[in-house]
Amino acid sequence: MLAADKLQLQSALKQQATALKEKEFNLHHSNLMTVGTQAAVLAGLDITMFIEFNPAPNVEWGDDIAMVPRALKFIYYIMILCAFCANMIVVSHTTALSVLGAGLALRGPDGSMVTATDGLYDERISVFTAFAIGLACTVGSVVVCVWLILHWEAALICMTLSIYTVVKIYQNYRRVVRRFIFDEDETVNFDDIFSGPAAIQVVKSGFRKLQNTFTTSPRRSKVIYDVENQHSDPAPVLPDMNNTTKRRATRNGN
């Protein structure tokens, strides 16, 4: 009876601990999906700006400054292509994290929720970095684009507004980070619950599993067993007792 109650209590603790980790998983998953959606919108805008943009020919600028529009076009197309590639990286990255992370968390072995949550938390840095590069290149391409399609008076004003937008985005980012930043060492940690009453073992990554599978494969285990037997001394073989010795042992036992 006590053993059954112990198992029931341990199962309840394990279920509640997994539910706590699931909240964190849903938070990271929602944040990554939001960034991925915005990156998809920006990728559509970037490819439209790349295909539909038709600047004036270089000859209309005059022979004296013919290299200026050529240089502006070079910078523009490089920036808009970098923006598109960065946003597509974010879309593909967040899609893979959503599919594989959710599959591991729900269908994996015991402790998969912890592994999936920590994986999403670690991958967020690369996703946010690629998204920042795509956003910066998109706005930066607008700064160059205005000089290719507008007169210098309107281009100067539009470029000033675009630069102000870039500066404002960066200032807002810095202000928000300072407002909500916290020390990572002071975050809520569930390791004491997982390693204690809940007894949840964190699963290893797939690459580690392949290494362990290779190490513990039957063929490799047989080789290790044979090598160990070659270096080990054989056990001594005791001679069989004759009939007289057997009778004496039986008499002494009686």
mmCIF file of all heavy atoms in Angstrom, residues 111-135:
data_model
loop_
_atom_site.group_PDB
_atom_site.id
_atom_site.type_symbol
_atom_site.label_atom_id
_atom_site.label_comp_id
_atom_site.label_asym_id
_atom_site.label_seq_id
_atom_site.Cartn_x
_atom_site.Cartn_y
_atom_site.Cartn_z
ATOM 1 N N GLY A 111 11.460 13.279 -19.764
ATOM 2 C CA GLY A 111 12.412 14.382 -19.710
ATOM 3 C C GLY A 111 12.549 15.160 -20.999
ATOM 4 O O GLY A 111 13.363 16.087 -21.079
ATOM 5 N N SER A 112 11.781 14.817 -22.031
ATOM 6 C CA SER A 112 11.893 15.508 -23.313
ATOM 7 C C SER A 112 11.393 16.943 -23.243
ATOM 8 O O SER A 112 11.874 17.800 -23.987
ATOM 9 C CB SER A 112 11.107 14.746 -24.384
ATOM 10 O OG SER A 112 11.618 13.456 -24.550
ATOM 11 N N MET A 113 10.447 17.235 -22.366
ATOM 12 C CA MET A 113 9.954 18.595 -22.230
ATOM 13 C C MET A 113 11.061 19.542 -21.768
ATOM 14 O O MET A 113 11.168 20.680 -22.243
ATOM 15 C CB MET A 113 8.786 18.637 -21.245
ATOM 16 C CG MET A 113 8.174 20.016 -21.059
ATOM 17 S SD MET A 113 7.433 20.686 -22.574
ATOM 18 C CE MET A 113 6.019 19.586 -22.718
ATOM 19 N N VAL A 114 11.907 19.078 -20.885
ATOM 20 C CA VAL A 114 13.026 19.895 -20.408
ATOM 21 C C VAL A 114 14.023 20.138 -21.534
ATOM 22 O O VAL A 114 14.495 21.266 -21.746
ATOM 23 C CB VAL A 114 13.707 19.209 -19.205
ATOM 24 C CG1 VAL A 114 14.867 20.061 -18.694
ATOM 25 C CG2 VAL A 114 12.707 18.946 -18.105
ATOM 26 N N THR A 115 14.343 19.099 -22.282
ATOM 27 C CA THR A 115 15.296 19.231 -23.382
ATOM 28 C C THR A 115 14.763 20.158 -24.473
ATOM 29 O O THR A 115 15.490 21.003 -24.999
ATOM 30 C CB THR A 115 15.606 17.853 -23.975
ATOM 31 O OG1 THR A 115 16.073 16.993 -22.940
ATOM 32 C CG2 THR A 115 16.661 17.952 -25.056
ATOM 33 N N ALA A 116 13.490 20.026 -24.828
ATOM 34 C CA ALA A 116 12.897 20.864 -25.863
ATOM 35 C C ALA A 116 12.833 22.326 -25.427
ATOM 36 O O ALA A 116 13.127 23.236 -26.215
ATOM 37 C CB ALA A 116 11.499 20.355 -26.207
ATOM 38 N N THR A 117 12.486 22.572 -24.174
ATOM 39 C CA THR A 117 12.400 23.947 -23.678
ATOM 40 C C THR A 117 13.768 24.610 -23.658
ATOM 41 O O THR A 117 13.933 25.760 -24.102
ATOM 42 C CB THR A 117 11.784 23.959 -22.278
ATOM 43 O OG1 THR A 117 10.502 23.332 -22.322
ATOM 44 C CG2 THR A 117 11.619 25.388 -21.773
ATOM 45 N N ASP A 118 14.763 23.913 -23.152
ATOM 46 C CA ASP A 118 16.115 24.473 -23.127
ATOM 47 C C ASP A 118 16.657 24.671 -24.534
ATOM 48 O O ASP A 118 17.405 25.627 -24.792
ATOM 49 C CB ASP A 118 17.043 23.555 -22.332
ATOM 50 C CG ASP A 118 16.653 23.475 -20.866
ATOM 51 O OD1 ASP A 118 15.943 24.397 -20.395
ATOM 52 O OD2 ASP A 118 17.056 22.507 -20.185
ATOM 53 N N GLY A 119 16.289 23.799 -25.462
ATOM 54 C CA GLY A 119 16.732 23.960 -26.844
ATOM 55 C C GLY A 119 16.154 25.211 -27.493
ATOM 56 O O GLY A 119 16.862 25.950 -28.183
ATOM 57 N N LEU A 120 14.860 25.456 -27.293
ATOM 58 C CA LEU A 120 14.250 26.677 -27.825
ATOM 59 C C LEU A 120 14.876 27.926 -27.213
ATOM 60 O O LEU A 120 15.088 28.929 -27.899
ATOM 61 C CB LEU A 120 12.748 26.670 -27.565
ATOM 62 C CG LEU A 120 11.901 25.640 -28.305
ATOM 63 C CD1 LEU A 120 10.426 25.837 -27.978
ATOM 64 C CD2 LEU A 120 12.112 25.718 -29.802
ATOM 65 N N TYR A 121 15.178 27.860 -25.930
ATOM 66 C CA TYR A 121 15.772 29.025 -25.258
ATOM 67 C C TYR A 121 17.177 29.312 -25.779
ATOM 68 O O TYR A 121 17.558 30.477 -25.926
ATOM 69 C CB TYR A 121 15.809 28.774 -23.752
ATOM 70 C CG TYR A 121 16.256 29.965 -22.952
ATOM 71 C CD1 TYR A 121 15.408 31.043 -22.736
ATOM 72 C CD2 TYR A 121 17.535 30.006 -22.416
ATOM 73 C CE1 TYR A 121 15.819 32.141 -22.008
ATOM 74 C CE2 TYR A 121 17.962 31.101 -21.682
ATOM 75 C CZ TYR A 121 17.100 32.161 -21.476
ATOM 76 O OH TYR A 121 17.527 33.255 -20.757
ATOM 77 N N ASP A 122 17.933 28.287 -26.089
ATOM 78 C CA ASP A 122 19.286 28.487 -26.604
ATOM 79 C C ASP A 122 19.283 28.960 -28.057
ATOM 80 O O ASP A 122 20.169 29.718 -28.464
ATOM 81 C CB ASP A 122 20.090 27.189 -26.486
ATOM 82 C CG ASP A 122 20.336 26.790 -25.036
ATOM 83 O OD1 ASP A 122 20.303 27.687 -24.173
ATOM 84 O OD2 ASP A 122 20.534 25.583 -24.778
ATOM 85 N N GLU A 123 18.308 28.514 -28.845
ATOM 86 C CA GLU A 123 18.275 28.870 -30.262
ATOM 87 C C GLU A 123 17.719 30.265 -30.509
ATOM 88 O O GLU A 123 17.818 30.774 -31.629
ATOM 89 C CB GLU A 123 17.425 27.850 -31.030
ATOM 90 C CG GLU A 123 18.031 26.467 -31.112
ATOM 91 C CD GLU A 123 19.264 26.434 -31.994
ATOM 92 O OE1 GLU A 123 19.383 27.298 -32.882
ATOM 93 O OE2 GLU A 123 20.106 25.545 -31.795
ATOM 94 N N ARG A 124 17.140 30.906 -29.513
ATOM 95 C CA ARG A 124 16.499 32.200 -29.725
ATOM 96 C C ARG A 124 17.510 33.279 -30.117
ATOM 97 O O ARG A 124 17.163 34.216 -30.851
ATOM 98 C CB ARG A 124 15.749 32.624 -28.456
ATOM 99 C CG ARG A 124 16.626 33.220 -27.395
ATOM 100 C CD ARG A 124 15.936 33.347 -26.054
ATOM 101 N NE ARG A 124 16.681 34.191 -25.144
ATOM 102 C CZ ARG A 124 17.794 33.865 -24.529
ATOM 103 N NH1 ARG A 124 18.314 32.654 -24.734
ATOM 104 N NH2 ARG A 124 18.411 34.706 -23.721
ATOM 105 N N ILE A 125 18.755 33.156 -29.675
ATOM 106 C CA ILE A 125 19.754 34.197 -29.943
ATOM 107 C C ILE A 125 20.045 34.272 -31.435
ATOM 108 O O ILE A 125 20.081 35.359 -32.033
ATOM 109 C CB ILE A 125 21.031 33.917 -29.136
ATOM 110 C CG1 ILE A 125 20.733 33.955 -27.638
ATOM 111 C CG2 ILE A 125 22.118 34.930 -29.476
ATOM 112 C CD1 ILE A 125 21.936 33.629 -26.766
ATOM 113 N N SER A 126 20.259 33.128 -32.071
ATOM 114 C CA SER A 126 20.538 33.129 -33.512
ATOM 115 C C SER A 126 19.334 33.607 -34.311
ATOM 116 O O SER A 126 19.487 34.297 -35.333
ATOM 117 C CB SER A 126 20.947 31.727 -33.956
ATOM 118 O OG SER A 126 19.921 30.789 -33.662
ATOM 119 N N VAL A 127 18.125 33.276 -33.850
ATOM 120 C CA VAL A 127 16.918 33.735 -34.553
ATOM 121 C C VAL A 127 16.787 35.252 -34.457
ATOM 122 O O VAL A 127 16.542 35.939 -35.463
ATOM 123 C CB VAL A 127 15.676 33.041 -33.973
ATOM 124 C CG1 VAL A 127 14.402 33.631 -34.579
ATOM 125 C CG2 VAL A 127 15.720 31.549 -34.247
ATOM 126 N N PHE A 128 16.958 35.811 -33.272
ATOM 127 C CA PHE A 128 16.830 37.252 -33.091
ATOM 128 C C PHE A 128 17.929 38.009 -33.841
ATOM 129 O O PHE A 128 17.693 39.102 -34.373
ATOM 130 C CB PHE A 128 16.880 37.603 -31.601
ATOM 131 C CG PHE A 128 15.703 37.087 -30.820
ATOM 132 C CD1 PHE A 128 15.748 36.999 -29.430
ATOM 133 C CD2 PHE A 128 14.549 36.661 -31.459
ATOM 134 C CE1 PHE A 128 14.664 36.523 -28.713
ATOM 135 C CE2 PHE A 128 13.463 36.178 -30.761
ATOM 136 C CZ PHE A 128 13.522 36.113 -29.375
ATOM 137 N N THR A 129 19.127 37.447 -33.894
ATOM 138 C CA THR A 129 20.223 38.100 -34.618
ATOM 139 C C THR A 129 19.933 38.170 -36.112
ATOM 140 O O THR A 129 20.119 39.219 -36.747
ATOM 141 C CB THR A 129 21.533 37.350 -34.364
ATOM 142 O OG1 THR A 129 21.804 37.318 -32.957
ATOM 143 C CG2 THR A 129 22.689 38.038 -35.070
ATOM 144 N N ALA A 130 19.480 37.062 -36.687
ATOM 145 C CA ALA A 130 19.155 37.059 -38.118
ATOM 146 C C ALA A 130 17.997 37.997 -38.419
ATOM 147 O O ALA A 130 17.990 38.687 -39.453
ATOM 148 C CB ALA A 130 18.821 35.636 -38.566
ATOM 149 N N PHE A 131 17.011 38.061 -37.533
ATOM 150 C CA PHE A 131 15.885 38.970 -37.746
ATOM 151 C C PHE A 131 16.339 40.433 -37.689
ATOM 152 O O PHE A 131 15.867 41.272 -38.470
ATOM 153 C CB PHE A 131 14.805 38.714 -36.705
ATOM 154 C CG PHE A 131 13.606 39.609 -36.843
ATOM 155 C CD1 PHE A 131 12.657 39.368 -37.828
ATOM 156 C CD2 PHE A 131 13.420 40.690 -35.997
ATOM 157 C CE1 PHE A 131 11.550 40.200 -37.973
ATOM 158 C CE2 PHE A 131 12.320 41.517 -36.126
ATOM 159 C CZ PHE A 131 11.382 41.280 -37.112
ATOM 160 N N ALA A 132 17.241 40.753 -36.765
ATOM 161 C CA ALA A 132 17.756 42.129 -36.677
ATOM 162 C C ALA A 132 18.531 42.514 -37.934
ATOM 163 O O ALA A 132 18.413 43.642 -38.428
ATOM 164 C CB ALA A 132 18.643 42.263 -35.438
ATOM 165 N N ILE A 133 19.299 41.570 -38.475
ATOM 166 C CA ILE A 133 20.035 41.851 -39.717
ATOM 167 C C ILE A 133 19.066 42.089 -40.875
ATOM 168 O O ILE A 133 19.237 43.018 -41.677
ATOM 169 C CB ILE A 133 20.987 40.687 -40.028
ATOM 170 C CG1 ILE A 133 22.089 40.609 -38.969
ATOM 171 C CG2 ILE A 133 21.608 40.853 -41.417
ATOM 172 C CD1 ILE A 133 22.996 39.404 -39.121
ATOM 173 N N GLY A 134 18.042 41.261 -40.979
ATOM 174 C CA GLY A 134 17.065 41.452 -42.052
ATOM 175 C C GLY A 134 16.316 42.762 -41.941
ATOM 176 O O GLY A 134 16.086 43.449 -42.946
ATOM 177 N N LEU A 135 15.941 43.146 -40.722
ATOM 178 C CA LEU A 135 15.232 44.407 -40.533
ATOM 179 C C LEU A 135 16.126 45.597 -40.842
ATOM 180 O O LEU A 135 15.693 46.559 -41.505
ATOM 181 C CB LEU A 135 14.717 44.488 -39.093
ATOM 182 C CG LEU A 135 13.923 45.741 -38.712
ATOM 183 C CD1 LEU A 135 12.660 45.861 -39.567
ATOM 184 C CD2 LEU A 135 13.565 45.715 -37.228
#
